Amino acid sequence: MTNLTSMRNIGKEMARKLAAVGIRSPEELLAADSKEAFFRLKTVFPQVCLVHLYALEGAIQGVEFNSLSADKRRELKRFSDQLK
């Protein structure tokens, strides 16, 4: 099983938080998708913010989080705003 930190945007702290919510591998993150993973994180770690969601989506797409399209960022922001 590959380590989460092998994915773009996922450092040790993000990997630790993901593991705490049951996501321990890139395959599990891909299966969950960024929104589900963020929802789980937000439930356990309420301080996570929109940038975390962007980082998760970037990891799934294999791009730096600041390279996400404007449409994707808007979609993710709407999702994040619904969780508040």
Side-chain angles (χ1 to χ4, degrees), residues 48-62:
V48 297
C49 65
L50 181 59
V51 173
H52 291 86
L53 179 55
Y54 291 166
L56 292 166
E57 182 62 30
I60 288 169
Q61 290 189 25

Side-chain angles (χ1 to χ4, degrees), residues 20-75:
V21 297
I23 299 171
R24 294 178 176 81
S25 71
E27 295 79 15
E28 290 175 344
L29 178 55
L30 291 170
D33 88 29
S34 62
K35 292 176 183 175
E36 173 63 23
F38 183 73
F39 176 77
R40 291 188 205 178
L41 287 172
K42 194 77 170 161
T43 301
V44 176
F45 304 99
Q47 75 279 13
V48 297
C49 65
L50 181 59
V51 173
H52 291 86
L53 179 55
Y54 291 166
L56 292 166
E57 182 62 30
I60 288 169
Q61 290 189 25
V63 300
E64 294 296 325
F65 73 90
N66 53 6
S67 296
L68 294 172
S69 71
D71 286 341
K72 179 54 80 171
R73 287 193 311 272
R74 277 192 294 276
E75 173 193 334

